[in-house]
Amino acid sequence: MRIPDHIGVIPDGNRRWATSKGMTKEKGYDEGLDVGVEVFKLCEKVGIKEITYYGFTTDNTKRPKEQRLAFTDACVNAVKKLSKENASLLVVGNTESPMFPQELMPYTTRQNLGNGGIKVNFLVNYGWKWDLNYLKNSDSSNKKIIDHIYSNDVSRLDLIIRWGGRRRLSGFLPVQSIYADFYVVDDYWPDFKEEHFYDALNWYNTQDITLGG
Amino acid sequence: MRIPDHIGVIPDGNRRWATSKGMTKEKGYDEGLDVGVEVFKLCEKVGIKEITYYGFTTDNTKRPKEQRLAFTDACVNAVKKLSKENASLLVVGNTESPMFPQELMPYTTRQNLGNGGIKVNFLVNYGWKWDLNYLKNSDSSNKKIIDHIYSNDVSRLDLIIRWGGRRRLSGFLPVQSIYADFYVVDDYWPDFKEEHFYDALNWYNTQDITLGG
């Protein structure tokens, strides 16, 4: 079976999940923390080489304050949980903004944790404009793109799995996602089941990979 | 019903259609010409303001020569057919390459045809790298992105409809597609039916539009 090298994870549906359980929206984010680690362990099991989690974006920070604090907190805790695994971990995002949680500053340089392992990228206060604007510092004689954006240490994506049913990228790594196959799970992220992951991999296996050709 | 302002059309599946009919692959492209006009007329009918057709890309030009000549020819003819409609037409692509068909040079400046009308963009020898590389000519103090890429006269996409069953963007306008809802039709482009278009619009109407928020 053909396994993708790099999977992108868009963990959406937390607020709708909370509302469906009769809770206020910001209560949904915490439910997804252990799910993030579960997905990591499944990736380890099948031999995925790189995972990128879509934590939160500069767009998201326009949400009501209690939601912003809740999802920021959840991302900080998610990174801390992942840091206990064997991984090569990097947090990517705009650190020059007050929205960036200071507790995650140590993770903004890639480091091997435990025995090292899967390359894990976690997007925190990420913005597609912020990312692409870095190109303006480059010399136009050099035609490469991926090396000259802020997220340059994140490889091209092979498969993106989005929970929560929305069929859109919502600004997720526009350069790395150009050829990615896109699998959508209708269930909300906190309602994660292992079969979502295996269904996505089985579907990916049936796609022809042409890289735009 | 909420109608998208700007629809992107990815007309894929021409070669698979040809093969399924016992023809050689390059014979599939011609079948899609009238379909392109049919989609234009449906857009006019429902009040779409802008349509972008994904003609061919720099990646596609690596295909075998008979296919390249066939799809280039088909794109030239598609633009000529659309130029007979009431539209504001622009061909977008890398004109400095030998792969760009010279017959389309007059269309690389936007012009009103007939009484003017829907804004139609047709991507010919388009490349996502070529598009984004234009940012390198910009001043980094200016934070805008869309104004400083080659495709700057193409607006943000609301809905992308891809025929041919593949669930990926294949390099299609990475900046304008960031928040676009993505609807996939499994049928091949030459097997277009009006219901594909209306199903896509009905589906779009049920999506919440958050623009990444």
Side-chain angles (χ1 to χ4, degrees):
Chain A
M1 185 158 124
R2 189 183 61 238
I3 301 287
D5 282 344
H6 182 189
I7 294 182
V9 171
I10 303 182
D12 194 37
N14 303 289
R15 291 178 295 169
R16 283 172 285 156
W17 179 90
T19 306
S20 75
K21 302 292 181 190
M23 300 184 220
T24 45
K25 289 181 180 180
E26 79 286 355
K27 297 264 166 53
Y29 298 116
D30 272 350
E31 291 298 316
L33 292 178
D34 291 335
V35 170
V37 178
E38 203 175 338
V39 168
F40 172 85
K41 288 190 184 303
L42 287 169
C43 286
E44 265 189 327
K45 193 168 170 180
V46 304
I48 304 300
K49 297 182 181 143
E50 188 168 354
I51 314 168
T52 300
Y53 293 88
Y54 207 18
F56 74 86
T57 67
T58 51
D59 285 332
N60 296 153
T61 60
K62 297 168 197 160
R63 291 181 189 172
K65 187 176 176 181
E66 66 275 8
Q67 290 181 30
R68 179 171 58 77
L69 294 176
F71 67 59
T72 303
D73 221 41
C75 286
V76 169
N77 290 326
V79 170
K80 287 181 175 175
K81 276 184 187 278
L82 288 166
S83 73
K84 297 185 171 22
E85 301 296 325
N86 296 314
S88 167
L89 179 62
L90 178 69
V91 165
V92 177
N94 185 356
T95 57
E96 292 180 14
S97 146
M99 297 296 162
F100 189 89
Q102 289 302 304
E103 311 96 299
L104 293 185
M105 281 302 294
Y107 300 97
T108 55
T109 307
R110 190 178 292 285
Q111 42 186 314
N112 277 335
L113 299 157
N115 304 322
I118 297 182
K119 204 173 159 191
V120 176
N121 313 305
F122 205 103
L123 306 190
V124 173
N125 201 42
Y126 171 85
W128 66 271
K129 282 189 199 173
W130 161 83
D131 198 10
L132 296 182
N133 261 313
Y134 201 55
L135 281 164
K136 293 179 184 172
N137 300 315
S138 303
D139 187 337
S140 56
S141 64
N142 182 326
K143 297 303 177 198
K144 284 186 177 290
I145 299 282
I146 206 168
D147 299 340
H148 301 286
I149 51 180
Y150 268 116
S151 63
N152 60 65
D153 201 26
V154 177
S155 317
R156 193 175 52 70
L157 288 151
D158 298 296
L159 170 66
I160 297 168
I161 312 176
R162 179 169 184 147
W163 275 262
R166 300 293 181 228
R167 281 152 174 74
R168 53 196 183 221
L169 293 178
S170 303
F172 184 54
L173 297 166
V175 171
Q176 291 87 340
S177 65
I178 40 157
Y179 304 128
D181 279 294
F182 188 34
Y183 185 87
V184 177
V185 177
D186 288 326
D187 289 354
Y188 306 137
W189 174 247
D191 283 334
F192 170 85
K193 298 179 187 57
E194 227 176 69
E195 70 191 63
H196 299 157
F197 181 79
Y198 287 114
D199 285 350
L201 287 190
N202 286 329
W203 172 80
Y204 178 80
N205 189 44
T206 65
Q207 303 308 297
D208 69 332
I209 305 302
T210 58
L211 300 184
Chain B
M1 185 159 125
R2 190 185 60 238
I3 302 288
D5 282 343
H6 182 190
I7 294 182
V9 171
I10 304 183
D12 195 38
N14 302 289
R15 292 177 294 169
R16 281 173 286 155
W17 179 88
T19 305
S20 74
K21 302 292 181 193
M23 300 184 223
T24 45
K25 289 181 180 180
E26 78 287 357
K27 297 265 166 53
Y29 298 115
D30 273 349
E31 291 296 318
L33 293 179
D34 291 336
V35 171
V37 179
E38 203 176 335
V39 168
F40 172 85
K41 290 190 185 302
L42 287 170
C43 286
E44 266 189 325
K45 193 168 168 179
V46 304
I48 304 300
K49 299 184 180 142
E50 188 169 354
I51 313 167
T52 299
Y53 293 87
Y54 206 19
F56 74 87
T57 68
T58 50
D59 286 331
N60 296 154
T61 60
K62 297 169 198 160
R63 291 180 189 172
K65 187 176 178 180
E66 66 276 7
Q67 290 182 30
R68 178 170 59 76
L69 295 177
F71 66 59
T72 302
D73 222 41
C75 285
V76 170
N77 290 328
V79 170
K80 287 182 175 172
K81 277 184 187 274
L82 288 167
S83 72
K84 297 185 173 17
E85 303 295 324
N86 296 312
S88 167
L89 179 62
L90 177 70
V91 165
V92 177
N94 184 357
T95 57
E96 292 179 17
S97 143
M99 297 295 162
F100 188 88
Q102 288 303 303
E103 310 97 298
L104 294 186
M105 281 304 292
Y107 299 97
T108 56
T109 307
R110 190 178 292 286
Q111 44 186 311
N112 277 335
L113 298 156
N115 304 320
I118 297 183
K119 204 174 158 192
V120 177
N121 313 304
F122 206 103
L123 306 190
V124 173
N125 201 42
Y126 171 86
W128 65 271
K129 282 189 198 173
W130 161 82
D131 197 8
L132 297 182
N133 260 313
Y134 201 56
L135 281 163
K136 294 178 183 172
N137 300 315
S138 303
D139 187 337
S140 57
S141 63
N142 183 326
K143 296 304 176 197
K144 285 189 177 288
I145 298 283
I146 207 169
D147 300 339
H148 302 285
I149 52 181
Y150 268 117
S151 64
N152 59 66
D153 200 26
V154 177
S155 318
R156 192 175 53 69
L157 289 151
D158 298 297
L159 170 65
I160 297 168
I161 311 176
R162 179 168 185 148
W163 275 261
R166 300 292 181 226
R167 280 154 174 72
R168 53 195 183 223
L169 292 178
S170 302
F172 184 55
L173 298 165
V175 171
Q176 290 89 339
S177 65
I178 39 156
Y179 303 128
D181 279 295
F182 188 34
Y183 185 87
V184 176
V185 177
D186 287 327
D187 290 355
Y188 305 137
W189 174 247
D191 284 333
F192 170 85
K193 298 181 188 55
E194 228 179 68
E195 69 191 65
H196 299 156
F197 181 80
Y198 287 115
D199 285 350
L201 288 189
N202 286 329
W203 172 79
Y204 178 80
N205 188 45
T206 63
Q207 304 307 298
D208 68 332
I209 304 304
T210 58
L211 300 183

